[in-house]
Amino acid sequence: MGLVPSDLTSLGQRNSGLYEHRRSSVVLNLPGLEVFPGDLLVSDGAADYLYHPLLLLNSESKKPRWPFSKRGMAKDKHKHMVDLEHCLAAVKITDFRGYEFHGLKDKTWDEVVDTHQKLSPDQVDLRKQQEAMWELFTSECTYFLDHLLVLKMIFMNTLKYLQTHEYLLDVDLWRLFANLEELSQTSFGFVNSLFGTMKEEGDASEPALSVDFISVLTKYFRGGSLCQSHQTYCLNYTAAVFYLESLRQRDDFGIYLKWCEQNEQCRRLHLPELLVAPLHRLTRYPLLLKNIWKRSIDSTEKILIYTIKEKVETSIRDLEGKVKWLDNFQKLRHLQEIIVWPPLWDRDKRFFIPECLKHIFKEHMAENILSPTSRHLLYEGKLTLAESTRFLDVYLFLFDDFLLVTKTKRNKKKFGGLDPGLMCPSLTPDLQTVIKEGGSCTVLDQPIPLDRLVLKNIDPLHVSAFGLRNAFLIQHENRYRQCIAAFLLQAQTENSKKTWMAQMTAAISCFMKSQESTKNTLFSSLPAESSEI
């Protein structure tokens, strides 16, 4: 399964009623949301990422990398670096070997218990189950000690120490580490509880399955604490990696990162490899539980372990849905900020609206078209639009219910674009470039509903004289099947053209089927006509 995210909507009221700040978390409360209604919890730091306004034309939104004046900047910067290195030299990292279970993580079950005694067939089966339980315990030890603790003690705590000494103050701990503190505490409680039960297993004179072991699994997996903490972390993972890449460009962050990664307890692992560990761990839990289930003897135990495994797999599927939803939510919100909807009188000069009447049209915000949470962006990309006297670079957004044709406008003055660390990771490189340059996408015409969209292939012989290649035609028809708009588009390659046409054809087909299904459901719900009429 892939947890790396790949639907967003924007809110009608952007700054009120959307989220509620609390001391440690914020609850998304989206009116009309049918999927995951208000069950997504993120901390204040994540909320800042989710709801950060994109001040594309605000020159003050782009913070300088260094708070120094131009005069003597190089000298001040060098002094800042030297002071930072001296501060790092004073950091003391706790030795992780103080944990009682540290020495067990690399041992096998046979090394822990006496295996020289002759075992009966039933005891041999029980021993196999104990070995599977031991694998869960030791792998959790490794995960806690070599990944979570390293992230927390070396990277997060060091960054906290630097910030108390006024270094790297603008680095957001949540955006980088999410709920690492909570995740570490939950994993420590889990591994400590497993350690207690495995100790009892090893000290027992005769092999026997500990009831406490099943209760530990039930508490941490069916209780939800282990899966829930991993879910919260995984939802922030893609944004964290994207944020890390933007921080790497800074010299002061590079010094901090190099110092941390050179610590011997990192075992030559770099920060990106450590950040991804919780994702890998969550997907491995079902495999470890399945191994215990397969080696269980008692039917009651097998049922209990199987239900626990099912609970974890359901949690992972739920996470996949939330990741896709969150990715789409973030992306559409960013699109709302960069897509410009010109008023009717600017879009078409045929329509004259006196200045005194223009306020009537402003009541209906075109931006709200992107607000429904059920809308999905299916495909997007650059194409060329053939006009009567010129070729125009356009950017198309194919949603699951309409097609939007826009032209990209780059801001030559570059009024300070958005901080790269605040952008949605799933935005295409082309859109990221537009955002960084303070540009926008201006809507050329009204959205084309998919049930009004007619797609036609263009034979090269018909348009080669006009210098067009890989061309196809889009028609917008009204409810009377009259063509009210047409776009002659050109793709960069023949394969790109075929992809676009295939994507549009599939989207139209799915939309028509959905509409037909809705109609059938509506008619079937109507009361039957009386036979007396």
Side-chain angles (χ1 to χ4, degrees):
M1 64 154 270
L3 292 179
V4 176
S6 22
D7 278 338
L8 274 192
T9 62
S10 140
L11 307 176
Q13 297 177 351
R14 303 181 187 172
N15 297 323
S16 63
L18 176 62
Y19 63 96
E20 173 188 355
H21 279 291
R22 298 188 180 182
R23 193 175 117 185
S24 61
S25 66
V26 65
V27 181
L28 290 182
N29 184 12
L30 303 179
L33 179 61
E34 297 177 357
V35 183
F36 314 118
D39 65 346
L40 179 58
L41 300 179
V42 290
S43 79
D44 291 337
D48 292 340
Y49 171 77
L50 262 173
Y51 309 109
H52 195 287
L54 304 184
L55 305 176
L56 296 177
L57 300 180
N58 184 359
S59 60
E60 297 178 359
S61 64
K62 190 172 184 180
K63 297 180 180 178
R65 184 172 296 180
W66 293 101
F68 307 120
S69 61
K70 291 184 178 180
R71 182 179 299 176
M73 184 174 65
K75 183 179 179 181
D76 291 342
K77 183 176 177 180
H78 176 71
K79 183 179 183 301
H80 182 86
M81 295 297 185
V82 173
D83 292 342
L84 175 61
E85 290 173 346
H86 287 162
C87 188
L88 282 168
V91 177
K92 303 297 180 184
I93 303 297
T94 306
D95 193 339
F96 302 163
R97 288 173 292 188
Y99 289 90
E100 190 177 359
F101 47 77
H102 182 275
L104 298 175
K105 66 186 180 72
D106 297 320
K107 290 188 177 182
T108 64
W109 181 245
D110 288 342
E111 292 174 328
V112 175
V113 298
D114 183 12
T115 59
H116 299 292
Q117 56 182 333
K118 188 174 181 179
L119 301 175
S120 65
D122 290 343
Q123 291 176 324
V124 171
D125 292 337
L126 186 58
R127 179 58 60 86
K128 289 181 180 180
Q129 185 188 31
Q130 290 172 334
E131 289 173 352
M133 293 158 53
W134 182 255
E135 183 184 8
L136 173 63
F137 165 68
T138 54
S139 60
E140 190 70 22
C141 285
T142 302
Y143 170 56
F144 172 71
L145 294 169
D146 295 349
H147 294 97
L148 295 183
L149 214 56
V150 169
L151 271 174
K152 177 186 172 183
M153 303 296 291
I154 297 178
F155 289 89
M156 189 171 75
N157 286 359
T158 299
L159 184 55
K160 285 182 178 179
Y161 178 84
L162 291 177
Q163 290 183 342
T164 59
H165 290 77
E166 299 187 351
Y167 296 99
L168 299 171
L169 288 173
D170 58 331
V171 176
D172 193 326
L173 280 165
W174 170 271
R175 289 173 62 194
L176 201 54
F177 300 110
N179 63 327
L180 177 61
E181 188 80 43
E182 175 197 5
L183 197 61
S184 299
Q185 291 176 0
T186 305
S187 179
F188 173 71
F190 182 49
V191 76
N192 214 29
S193 299
L194 289 176
F195 176 63
T197 59
M198 299 311 295
K199 248 176 103 176
E200 294 176 4
E201 294 286 330
D203 295 340
S205 56
E206 292 190 15
L209 179 64
S210 172
V211 178
D212 292 338
F213 184 81
I214 301 294
S215 65
V216 170
L217 296 183
T218 303
K219 175 183 177 182
Y220 283 92
F221 286 118
R222 293 187 70 178
S225 60
L226 201 60
C227 293
Q228 182 60 50
S229 57
H230 276 85
Q231 275 202 15
T232 305
Y233 180 91
C234 293
L235 285 169
N236 187 72
Y237 170 73
T238 303
V241 172
F242 198 75
Y243 184 48
L244 175 61
E245 287 306 309
S246 68
L247 291 174
R248 282 176 179 273
Q249 303 171 17
R250 296 173 42 164
D251 295 333
D252 54 349
F253 188 84
I255 291 174
Y256 148 78
L257 193 61
K258 182 179 179 181
W259 184 90
C260 292
E261 291 178 344
Q262 286 180 342
N263 190 288
E264 61 178 359
Q265 296 186 90
C266 287
R267 300 170 180 266
R268 297 183 179 179
L269 293 175
H270 300 287
L271 183 54
E273 298 169 283
L274 293 166
L275 287 174
V276 78
L279 279 75
H280 293 162
R281 185 59 183 172
L282 181 60
T283 56
R284 198 183 172 200
Y285 282 133
L287 302 176
L288 294 166
L289 292 170
K290 184 179 180 180
N291 196 26
I292 298 173
W293 169 76
K294 286 169 61 177
R295 299 187 180 191
S296 296
I297 305 168
D298 185 77
S299 58
T300 304
E301 292 170 359
K302 287 182 76 75
I303 292 173
L304 286 172
I305 295 173
Y306 187 81
T307 55
I308 293 172
K309 180 184 75 73
E310 286 288 297
K311 174 74 174 179
V312 179
E313 290 177 343
T314 301
S315 177
I316 293 175
R317 288 192 295 269
D318 182 43
L319 173 62
E320 287 181 314
K322 286 183 178 180
V323 167
K324 291 177 182 177
W325 179 89
L326 181 61
D327 178 69
N328 193 66
F329 183 88
Q330 293 169 343
K331 188 168 186 176
L332 285 188
R333 191 172 189 281
H334 279 72
L335 291 183
Q336 186 197 26
E337 300 293 340
I338 65 171
I339 292 178
V340 177
W341 300 79
L344 177 65
W345 49 88
D346 286 346
R347 192 172 69 241
D348 196 326
K349 300 302 180 183
R350 294 175 302 169
F351 302 106
F352 168 70
I353 307 295
E355 197 69 34
C356 60
L357 298 180
K358 288 183 179 180
H359 69 280
I360 299 175
F361 294 86
K362 291 181 180 179
E363 294 177 0
H364 305 285
M365 299 294 291
E367 291 87 344
N368 290 337
I369 292 175
L370 297 181
S371 63
T373 55
S374 57
R375 178 160 289 129
H376 297 266
L377 180 62
L378 304 178
Y379 199 67
E380 61 181 300
K382 292 196 303 182
L383 290 170
T384 302
L385 175 65
E387 295 188 328
S388 58
T389 58
R390 60 173 181 169
F391 290 107
L392 183 66
D393 290 332
V394 293
Y395 198 94
L396 270 63
F397 298 94
L398 177 63
F399 294 92
D400 55 358
D401 57 346
F402 69 80
L403 176 71
L404 196 62
V405 182
T406 70
K407 63 176 179 180
T408 55
K409 181 181 178 181
R410 301 182 186 276
N411 196 331
K412 295 181 180 180
K413 294 183 179 180
K414 297 184 181 180
F415 287 106
L418 180 67
D419 179 1
L422 294 175
M423 279 192 292
C424 179
S426 59
L427 289 177
T428 64
D430 291 326
L431 282 183
Q432 289 182 20
T433 302
V434 170
I435 293 174
K436 288 175 183 177
E437 295 179 355
S440 60
C441 295
T442 303
V443 177
L444 283 180
D445 200 60
Q446 58 183 301
I448 307 175
L450 294 186
D451 58 342
R452 306 295 183 194
L453 190 150
V454 177
L455 187 64
K456 293 183 179 180
N457 184 36
I458 302 297
D459 191 303
L461 294 175
H462 296 156
V463 292
S464 58
F466 299 96
L468 282 171
R469 294 178 298 175
N470 315 315
F472 62 99
L473 183 68
I474 289 176
Q475 292 180 204
H476 182 185
E477 296 184 346
N478 62 16
R479 61 183 296 187
Y480 304 107
R481 295 302 173 188
Q482 292 178 311
C483 182
I484 57 176
F487 299 92
L488 183 56
L489 298 166
Q490 176 182 253
Q492 291 184 347
T493 64
E494 183 66 21
N495 286 336
S496 176
K497 167 189 168 181
K498 290 179 179 178
T499 301
W500 266 107
M501 295 190 70
Q503 290 284 348
M504 290 183 183
T505 302
I508 293 171
S509 176
C510 289
F511 181 73
M512 297 297 284
K513 288 179 181 178
S514 174
Q515 292 290 95
E516 190 65 30
S517 176
T518 303
K519 285 181 181 179
N520 293 336
T521 303
L522 178 63
F523 285 127
S524 64
S525 64
L526 292 176
E529 185 177 290
S530 174
S531 59
E532 297 180 359
I533 298 177

